[in-house]
């Protein structure tokens, strides 16, 4: 099996594959034939740079065709793609390089500074375009013959007890997207699908172009920052058929943009966290469309959906996709990995054994019709604006500041973002607490790790609540709530 060869090569060469909206205002349509040819040239460049089957290629590119071509090139020759979002900072990038040991990094020139800070004097080869030619590296290599469990993709997830972990997916992950493409996103051949997730997140690659192409649909790639009014205008001007956005994006658009009917749009989906019933109602009333929620993890891929053609159930992440076996065990969602075609191979380079039970770590309830409802994490991962944030990462960044002795990070409910990061900080000098130190700590976290992880609420305490073994009682911090009752910074 080979996704680039079998799927892309089987589509009508003249058919529309992508619509590119560049940061500079350029618009271009790419056919499937052009996409196949361009990715083949990039595959030749990777091979000429010494990339071989099984090697990791890290990308640091925005939502633009070069990102797609680079991933396809990896899959064509059997290399392993590691897409990274441009929001990552030097510390995050260095950790990913250390964990995966990439044979090559392909990056946009605009990310040169952060990448150089991450690599230091390291010897990882880097291809920076447009300064370096992404397409002129040599002869286009043939498509590799790959097995379902040959590695294809690495994405990183967050945890509570350590740094983000690399999640390894096999070739089956790419072909397995057909299930959610048919029973969740459900585009028709020739449709235009817009998944707005930033490149680097697991949802982005699989929903931005892999799932649409499996249905013969085209992908919209917009390399721009989120703006509520611009988002609606683009949906209208490009006549988007299927829209896939994070719940936070729907929330912000409902609150800050002038909603109106979107007659060309046929389907709206969301995943990452539960959507508020009031947002669902407001969106439906104004645009005429329901938002069909779904659920999945970095490790599992999509496993549930509110299917097309049925009334959505507010607050529900839907039914298990056909063939996937899920159940509730002690309040936690569990599944049989053998029934999940997009289940991961393991963490890092290690291959896990597929047991009969995988516990997701999510608290979920089920109704009499089999619809599932997310209730929260069994661990302490914070889900804010669809991003999964490990408290350990933010705490480590805070403690690195010279004024901080200890720090604990928990989630705090937010009407737009679902949750925001709240930090309780113990200072080395109690008398140093001041308003400008709050902003200083927030800026410090932004500079140390990805900006979306910074604590929007910072409060000072003389001590943290702990167990007898010295572990911080995060549950107690969540119960008490912030002393100031609001965000320091919006």
């Amino acid at each position: 099996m080979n996704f680039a060869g079998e799927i892309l090569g089987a589509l009508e060469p003249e058919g529309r594959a992508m619509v590119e909206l560049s940061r500079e205002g350029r618009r271009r349509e790419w056919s499937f034939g052009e996409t196949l040819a361009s990715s083949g040239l990039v595959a030749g460049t990777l091979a000429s740079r010494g990339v071989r089957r099984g090697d990791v290629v890290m990308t640091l590119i925005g939502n633009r065709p070069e990102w797609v071509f680079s991933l396809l090139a990896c899959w064509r020759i059997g290399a392993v793609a590691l897409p990274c979002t441009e929001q990552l900072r030097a510390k995050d990038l260095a950790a990913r390089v250390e964990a995966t040991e990439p044979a090559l990094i392909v990056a946009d020139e605009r990310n040169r500074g952060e990448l150089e800070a991450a690599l230091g004097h390291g010897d990882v080869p880097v291809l920076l375009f447009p300064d370096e030619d992404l397409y002129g590296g040599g002869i286009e290599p043939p498509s590799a013959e790959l097995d379902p469990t040959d590695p294809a993709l690495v994405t990183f997830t967050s945890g509570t007890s350590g740094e983000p972990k690399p999640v390894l997916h096999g070739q089956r992950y790419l072909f397995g997207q057909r299930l959610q493409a048919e029973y969740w996103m459900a585009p028709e051949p020739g449709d235009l699908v817009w998944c707005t997730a930033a490149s680097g997140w697991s949802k982005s690659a699989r929903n931005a172009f892999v799932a649409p192409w499996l249905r013969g649909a085209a992908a919209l790639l917009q390399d721009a920052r989120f703006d509520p009014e611009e988002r609606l205008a683009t949906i209208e001007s490009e006549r988007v058929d299927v829209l896939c956005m994070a719940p936070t994006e729907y929330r912000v658009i409902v609150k800050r943009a002038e909603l109106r009917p979107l007659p060309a749009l046929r389907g709206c989906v969301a995943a990452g966290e539960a959507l508020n019933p009031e947002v669902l109602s407001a969106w439906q009333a104004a645009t005429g469309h329901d938002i069909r929620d779904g659920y999945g993890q970095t490790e599992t891929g999509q496993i549930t959906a509110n299917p097309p053609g049925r009334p959505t159930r507010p607050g529900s992440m839907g039914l298990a996709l056909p063939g996937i076996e899920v159940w509730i065990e002690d309040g936690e969602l569990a599944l049989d990995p053998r029934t999940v075609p997009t289940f991961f191979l393991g963490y890092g380079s290690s291959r896990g054994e597929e047991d009969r039970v995988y516990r997701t770590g999510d608290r979920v309830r089920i109704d009499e019709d089999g619809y599932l409802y997310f209730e929260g994490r069994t661990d302490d991962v914070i889900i804010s604006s669809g991003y999964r944030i490990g408290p350990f990462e933010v705490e480590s960044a805070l403690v690195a500041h010279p004024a901080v002795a200890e720090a604990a990070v928990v989630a705090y409910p937010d009407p737009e973002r679902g949750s925001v990061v709240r930090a309780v900080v113990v200072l080395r000098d109690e008398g140093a607490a001041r308003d400008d130190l709050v902003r200083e700590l927030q800026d410090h976290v932004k500079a140390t790790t990805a900006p979306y992880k910074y604590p929007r609420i910072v409060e000072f305490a003389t001590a943290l609540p702990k167990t007898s073994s010295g572990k911080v009682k995060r549950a107690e911090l969540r119960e008490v709530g912030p002393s100031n009752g609001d965000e320091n910074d919006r």
Side-chain angles (χ1 to χ4, degrees):
M1 62 197 317
N2 188 296
F3 181 86
E6 289 183 41
I7 302 301
L8 193 56
L11 293 166
E12 178 58 44
E14 300 303 318
R16 184 175 64 169
M18 293 185 291
V19 175
E20 172 194 3
L21 302 178
S22 76
R23 188 171 294 189
E24 297 75 29
R26 180 182 68 254
R27 183 187 187 279
R28 176 177 174 177
E29 292 194 6
W30 296 79
S31 70
F32 284 113
E34 290 172 321
T35 300
L36 183 62
S38 296
S39 61
L41 292 174
V42 177
T45 299
L46 298 187
S48 71
R49 293 290 187 113
V51 176
R52 299 292 179 261
R53 179 171 177 159
D55 286 345
V56 173
V57 176
M58 176 172 150
T59 66
L60 189 59
I61 309 171
N63 287 45
R64 48 193 301 181
E66 290 85 355
W67 168 63
V68 176
F69 299 153
S70 297
L71 267 59
L72 288 172
C74 289
W75 299 334
R76 184 187 186 97
I77 63 176
V80 185
L82 167 58
C84 295
T85 171
E86 292 182 298
Q87 294 187 62
L88 297 176
R89 292 295 179 259
K91 176 176 177 291
D92 305 295
L93 295 170
R96 281 157 173 72
V97 169
E98 182 179 359
T100 62
E101 300 180 343
L104 180 68
I105 299 174
V106 180
D108 193 308
E109 171 67 30
R110 66 194 182 198
N111 299 305
R112 176 192 289 270
E114 209 67 44
L115 192 55
E116 288 180 345
L119 297 177
H121 299 292
D123 57 357
V124 180
V126 178
L127 190 161
L128 285 168
F129 69 88
D131 280 6
E132 298 180 76
D133 189 357
L134 189 61
Y135 305 101
I139 300 173
E140 179 180 331
S143 297
E145 295 183 6
L146 304 167
D147 292 328
T149 55
D150 281 341
L153 181 71
V154 177
T155 53
F156 276 72
T157 188
S158 296
T160 56
S161 58
E163 296 294 331
K165 294 182 292 186
V167 174
L168 180 65
H169 280 287
Q171 300 295 327
R172 67 187 184 191
Y173 179 81
L174 306 176
F175 289 83
Q177 300 305 327
R178 194 181 298 276
L179 190 61
Q180 61 110 345
E182 181 175 353
Y183 293 100
W184 184 54
M185 296 186 80
E188 298 295 334
D191 277 357
L192 183 63
V193 178
W194 190 12
C195 173
T196 62
S199 59
W201 302 107
S202 62
K203 186 174 73 173
S204 182
R206 72 180 190 239
N207 289 344
F209 63 94
V210 172
W213 289 353
L214 288 167
R215 298 278 292 175
L220 176 63
L221 298 176
Q222 185 181 42
D223 186 33
R225 294 182 181 276
F226 170 64
D227 177 86
E229 285 292 350
E230 184 183 32
R231 182 65 54 86
L232 290 178
T234 302
I235 294 169
E236 291 176 311
S237 64
E238 293 297 333
R239 300 186 64 81
V240 172
D241 296 285
V242 178
L243 178 66
C244 176
M245 292 200 301
T248 295
E249 293 175 309
Y250 284 109
R251 289 191 196 105
V252 173
I253 290 174
V254 165
K255 183 174 181 179
R256 301 183 184 177
E258 184 180 345
L259 291 174
R260 59 265 196 185
L262 298 170
L265 196 61
R266 194 178 66 255
C268 302
V269 297
E273 53 188 326
L275 264 169
N276 314 77
E278 60 268 25
V279 172
L280 295 167
S281 177
W283 179 271
Q284 201 284 331
T287 68
H289 301 285
D290 288 330
I291 302 172
R292 294 183 290 103
D293 204 356
Y295 165 88
Q297 294 185 330
T298 304
E299 292 91 340
T300 66
Q302 192 83 10
I303 59 175
T304 80
N306 277 278
R310 298 191 195 181
T312 58
R313 299 201 179 187
S316 173
M317 58 197 201
L319 301 162
L321 289 170
I324 294 180
E325 295 181 15
V326 302
W327 63 92
I328 308 300
E329 196 169 304
D330 299 325
E332 180 182 357
L333 183 67
L335 56 86
D336 184 343
R338 300 169 301 171
T339 68
V340 182
T342 53
F343 197 73
F344 75 128
L345 301 177
Y347 292 107
S349 59
S350 63
R351 305 295 185 94
E353 296 218 359
E354 291 190 10
D355 298 326
R356 295 173 179 268
V357 178
Y358 172 79
R359 298 180 70 116
T360 63
D362 289 325
R363 295 193 305 276
V364 172
R365 65 178 176 86
I366 187 169
D367 68 15
E368 63 277 5
D369 298 319
Y371 280 80
L372 299 157
Y373 298 79
F374 180 81
E375 294 188 325
R377 290 288 300 168
T378 58
D379 56 25
D380 293 306
V381 169
I382 301 164
I383 300 178
S384 180
S385 299
Y387 297 130
R388 297 169 71 87
I389 303 168
F392 179 82
E393 298 178 75
V394 186
E395 290 165 1
S396 297
L398 286 166
V399 172
H401 190 281
V404 177
E406 290 185 291
V409 167
V410 294
Y412 184 72
D414 181 87
E416 281 189 5
R417 304 177 187 92
S419 296
V420 294
V421 177
R422 172 190 166 219
V424 181
V425 174
V426 177
L427 298 174
R428 295 182 183 276
D429 178 6
E430 292 182 16
R434 59 188 189 279
D435 290 342
D436 63 338
L437 181 57
V438 169
R439 178 56 60 86
E440 184 179 326
L441 292 175
Q442 290 172 328
D443 290 342
H444 173 74
V445 173
K446 290 179 184 179
T448 305
T449 187
Y452 63 82
K453 299 175 184 177
Y454 86 96
R456 293 179 180 270
I457 300 173
V458 177
E459 58 181 318
F460 302 109
T462 57
L464 299 176
K466 297 180 180 178
T467 65
S468 57
S469 61
K471 294 183 179 179
V472 175
K473 297 179 179 178
R474 289 196 179 89
E476 185 173 316
L477 290 174
R478 285 193 293 265
E479 291 170 2
V480 173
S483 57
N484 60 8
D486 204 354
E487 293 182 28
N488 302 117
D489 173 29
R490 290 186 182 273

